[in-house]
Amino acid sequence: MKQVGADGGWTCPSGGFGTKGGTKAEFELLVRQNNQDDQNAAQRYASDAKAVGIDMKIAIVSEDQINERIYATSPTDKNKYESTYDAFYWGWGGHNA
């Protein structure tokens, strides 16, 4: 996978995080605080991302905080959304009986 980044102009020192034009390969992933399965999955994703030079920061937050950041309104136009997050993980599961 690091080759894909290199082909796109990203540099990644051994054991470090990628950069391109001064921009670090990083993002924040919001994860629900009341779901341990989601948190465990996010930890696995962060480990995989790190292996290819991406710094995935996990933020454990409430569902209300996730919704507030997804549906944040623009400070200049209250009729527009201006989300304040990079990504969120929200898994659903069930048991087949």
Side-chain angles (χ1 to χ4, degrees), residues 66-84:
I66 290 175
N67 284 323
E68 287 170 9
R69 292 186 61 186
I70 291 171
Y71 300 110
T73 55
S74 166
T76 58
D77 184 346
K78 297 298 180 192
N79 294 314
K80 291 184 181 179
Y81 291 126
E82 281 189 17
S83 302
T84 60

Side-chain angles (χ1 to χ4, degrees), residues 2 13-14 20-21 23 26 30 32-33 37 45 51 53 59-61 67 72-73 77-78 83 89 92:
K2 283 191 177 186
S14 179
K20 179 178 180 182
T23 299
E26 66 181 357
L30 306 178
R32 295 182 297 161
Q33 68 185 16
D37 290 337
Y45 299 149
I60 308 297
V61 298
N67 284 323
T73 55
D77 184 346
K78 297 298 180 192
S83 302
Y89 184 88
W92 284 277

Side-chain angles (χ1 to χ4, degrees), residues 27 29-50 56-60 88-93:
F27 69 98
L29 180 70
L30 306 178
V31 182
R32 295 182 297 161
Q33 68 185 16
N34 64 342
N35 191 307
Q36 190 61 50
D37 290 337
D38 287 1
Q39 293 173 34
N40 293 342
Q43 290 292 336
R44 289 190 300 273
Y45 299 149
S47 178
D48 290 345
K50 183 177 181 180
M56 188 178 94
K57 299 173 185 344
I58 299 170
I60 308 297
F88 68 91
Y89 184 88
W90 193 311
W92 284 277

Side-chain angles (χ1 to χ4, degrees), residues 5-17:
D7 291 347
W10 291 85
T11 59
C12 186
S14 179
F17 296 110

